[in-house]
Amino acid sequence: MRSYQALFRTREFTPLFLSSSLQVAGSTIGGLALGTSVYEATGSPLLSALSMFGPSLAQVVGATTLLSAADRLPPRATLAGLAASFAVSTALLALPGLPLWSVFAVIAVQGLIASLGGGVRWGLLTEILPKDGYLLGRSVFNMLHGLTQITGYATGGALVALLSPRVTLLVSAALYAAAALCTLTGLTRRAPRTTGRPSVAETWRTNARLWASVPRRRLYLGLWIPNGLVVGCESLFVAYAPDRAGLLFACAALGMFTGDVTVGRLLPPRVRDRLATPLLLLLAAPYLVFALHPPTPLAAACATLASVGFGASLVQQRHLLALTPPELTGHALGLHSAGMLTLQGVSAALAGGAAQLTTPGTAMAVMAAASVAVTLALAVDRPRPPVADGAGAVRPSSIGTRGGTSRTGRFRR
């Protein structure tokens, strides 16, 4: 499957695509509104960053308790329920006079329930699309999410300026509700991919099985850490330029869109499969310029260029799926998504703390330097990844030279 037209002719791809996009729009508009509100109330870069990316910190709890449900629950009902819960919780955040501790309690619950969403959604995508369509399909999701974030942050910034953060949060809640409705009406009922009851013990056992493979472990670390550290840079956009944060977020989303188009559609497989490490270096390097506290136009250009590097995740995800037995697809993708979001939340906290002690620009440069160092240390680029056999063992593969596809799941990426 090599054309976008073929993707959208595939039954159920469009409703899953639309519902996911509505949720991304809700998260971008609501996140910007909440971050702005907290910064106005506290003047703290740390609390502002945590209000936007703090839900990701709760992902680690979900990754160790809930992920076995990703393959053991009916996808349509689960995705609709998750979207509805986000609609309700976001509406709660819009209540006037809500104490700050209550705000963080609500977003912690959001992060916990979101930890299940990546595994369910991207596991379902592997059922909807044929094996040779996943990479293209996932890149389309990323591209649309990039465009949605561009318009979402621009719209969110305008709504916050013209109305108020509280009204903007209600708009976000309405988008989540629309996503739940789209899921219920557009997707068909499917049986879970795996039998058995979800449990904490099963989650731990499967996590241990996935983590036991050295190639998989290196891929997970490469997917989580460099990405997360750069999202720590992004979490300081509000503190760096309070009146232009929406522009910086929109430019970062534009860069991500460009990277996904290039990696997912334009590059031939033999070239694409060798670009993980160069793209991860590009993801971080432009943020080193922020040590000089550049003016907004140059800062926006750096954010745009850097975010092209998010295309590395498509290459890494393809390699991860080549290493994963089919019956563990949802769990493996959920672990990737939850770990990535957890590292993003941790990085937002670290970046916010560093900004408290120095300046937002200096903190962003420090996080970028750390991302470059981790990328070089992990050497995540693997042009000829092994593939998993039915028992989870790995064997050599030529998938890197033939262009077979794989899959999966970031609040932003």
Side-chain angles (χ1 to χ4, degrees):
M1 180 177 286
R2 291 296 302 165
S3 72
Y4 297 134
Q5 187 177 29
L7 279 177
F8 286 97
R9 284 202 303 260
T10 303
R11 189 167 178 263
E12 295 187 271
F13 179 82
T14 299
L16 182 63
F17 181 74
L18 291 177
S19 64
S20 181
S21 299
L22 287 167
Q23 290 192 68
V24 173
S27 68
T28 53
I29 290 174
L32 182 58
L34 187 61
T36 302
S37 177
V38 170
Y39 188 71
E40 289 177 350
T42 66
S44 169
L46 173 60
L47 293 178
S48 175
L50 285 177
S51 67
M52 293 187 69
F53 295 91
S56 301
L57 290 170
Q59 294 273 339
V60 67
V61 179
T64 55
T65 58
L66 302 179
L67 274 184
S68 63
D71 294 307
R72 292 173 171 82
L73 293 176
R76 184 181 70 168
T78 303
L79 290 175
L82 291 173
S85 66
F86 268 94
V88 173
S89 58
T90 302
L92 286 176
L93 292 172
L95 292 175
L98 194 67
L100 191 62
W101 67 266
S102 299
V103 170
F104 283 98
V106 171
I107 63 177
V109 172
Q110 287 183 330
L112 180 62
I113 61 178
S115 64
L116 184 59
V120 177
R121 179 176 298 107
W122 308 127
L124 177 59
L125 184 62
T126 66
E127 296 185 32
I128 291 174
L129 296 178
K131 288 183 178 181
D132 67 345
Y134 182 86
L135 183 62
L136 183 62
R138 189 66 182 90
S139 70
V140 169
F141 269 84
N142 286 356
M143 286 186 287
L144 181 85
H145 290 180
L147 289 175
T148 303
Q149 287 173 358
I150 294 169
T151 57
Y153 282 123
T155 302
L159 289 174
V160 167
L162 296 175
L163 302 175
S164 69
R166 184 176 299 121
V167 173
T168 306
L169 284 168
L170 292 176
V171 173
S172 173
L175 290 168
Y176 281 122
L181 181 62
C182 183
T183 299
L184 286 174
T185 58
L187 298 179
T188 59
R189 186 176 301 173
R190 290 171 179 264
R193 283 180 293 277
T194 302
T195 58
R197 297 179 61 182
S199 67
V200 175
E202 184 59 34
T203 297
W204 277 91
R205 279 193 295 269
T206 306
N207 283 347
R209 180 181 176 186
L210 291 169
W211 193 251
S213 164
V214 174
R216 268 199 302 261
R217 184 160 64 244
R218 293 176 70 87
L219 273 170
Y220 274 128
L221 293 174
L223 280 160
W224 295 344
I225 301 177
N227 176 302
L229 290 169
V230 170
V231 173
C233 298
E234 294 182 355
S235 73
L236 295 176
F237 282 168
V238 172
Y240 186 84
D243 297 332
R244 295 291 185 269
L247 171 64
L248 294 178
F249 278 118
C251 287
L254 175 62
M256 185 185 71
F257 173 83
T258 303
D260 286 328
V261 172
T262 302
V263 175
R265 186 70 178 88
L266 301 181
L267 293 178
R270 290 190 179 186
V271 175
R272 179 182 61 212
D273 287 343
R274 298 178 182 273
L275 288 181
T277 294
L279 285 169
L280 287 175
L281 293 174
L282 176 63
L283 178 63
Y287 283 105
L288 297 173
V289 176
F290 280 77
L292 303 176
H293 301 89
T296 300
L298 179 57
C302 289
T304 304
L305 177 62
S307 293
V308 173
F310 279 115
S313 68
L314 290 174
V315 181
Q316 295 169 292
Q317 290 164 29
R318 180 174 181 274
H319 292 176
L320 176 62
L321 277 222
L323 291 165
T324 303
E327 69 273 13
L328 300 183
T329 293
H331 194 120
L333 300 182
L335 181 61
H336 155 50
S337 179
M340 180 178 60
L341 292 169
T342 297
L343 263 293
Q344 289 174 6
V346 170
S347 297
L350 292 174
Q356 292 275 103
L357 298 175
T358 58
T359 65
T362 300
M364 293 163 81
V366 169
M367 300 299 286
S371 180
V372 169
V374 171
T375 295
L376 294 175
L378 288 173
V380 295
D381 195 15
R382 290 292 183 270
R384 291 175 63 86
V387 297
D389 60 24
V394 296
R395 52 186 172 81
S397 169
S398 59
I399 192 170
T401 61
R402 290 205 309 266
T405 53
S406 303
R407 47 197 179 205
T408 176
R410 168 192 186 220
F411 155 67
R412 281 188 44 75
R413 305 292 181 259

